[in-house]
Amino acid sequence: MTQNSIIIPTDGSEYAMSAAEVGFGLAEDLDATVHALSVGDTSLTHRSSIGGSGPMTEDDVAERASEWASELADAAEAEGLDAAVVVRTGTPAEEISNYADEIGANMVVIGTAGRSGFEKTVLGSVTDKVIRTAPVPVVTVQPDGTIDAA
């Protein structure tokens, strides 16, 4: 029998943690391994903040992604779940969908908000792109904990 798997992407935001709580419950119900996935967004290596530091390096974004994925996996394990830390670099929506396909995941559980304002307008919504491209069902979690399935 193949182990069930649920991918819970994280960008370190409160929205990702809200989604993780829902994902942990589903993982418990399905006896699934949580794949705590964080993507080091390489688009951030090409932009700099106005009045801030220069662009981040690929190592910088990968290190930050690793911290976020580890924190999420630690939270899953604290709930008694099996968890895997997964770190990728690239375009978040593409990497999430590609990873779901690679491992034959059962579902992706993702928050509906993360970045906002100008960044969201420029980059588009990662969640919207995952809904359109993932090869598996996507459960979206609103900031208030409301669940939608796409």
Side-chain angles (χ1 to χ4, degrees):
M1 182 172 128
T2 304
Q3 174 69 40
N4 289 324
S5 56
I6 294 176
I7 297 171
I8 305 175
T10 183
D11 62 0
S13 70
E14 64 187 85
Y15 306 108
M17 282 311 295
S18 291
E21 291 302 321
V22 170
F24 295 166
L26 291 167
E28 185 174 353
D29 292 345
L30 298 172
D31 191 29
T33 297
V34 169
H35 292 253
L37 171 62
S38 189
V39 179
D41 187 347
T42 53
S43 73
L44 298 177
T45 64
H46 305 295
R47 294 182 291 150
S48 62
S49 307
I50 296 173
S53 59
M56 299 175 77
T57 67
E58 192 164 321
D59 286 344
D60 292 337
V61 296
E63 183 178 326
R64 188 167 66 174
S66 179
E67 290 170 8
W68 292 334
S70 294
E71 287 172 9
L72 187 76
D74 288 347
E77 289 172 348
E79 296 288 327
L81 300 167
D82 290 334
V85 174
V86 183
V87 179
R88 297 279 182 103
T89 56
T91 303
E94 289 176 17
E95 293 298 327
I96 293 165
S97 294
N98 290 344
Y99 185 69
D101 188 46
E102 287 171 25
I103 68 164
N106 296 90
M107 71 180 70
V108 175
V109 179
I110 189 168
T112 57
R115 294 192 177 109
S116 60
F118 179 73
E119 278 191 344
K120 185 172 180 179
T121 302
V122 171
L123 298 175
S125 169
V126 170
T127 299
D128 288 344
K129 289 178 185 174
V130 171
I131 290 167
R132 289 194 312 265
T133 62
V136 299
V138 177
V139 175
T140 60
V141 181
Q142 304 286 330
D144 66 1
T146 306
I147 301 168
D148 294 312

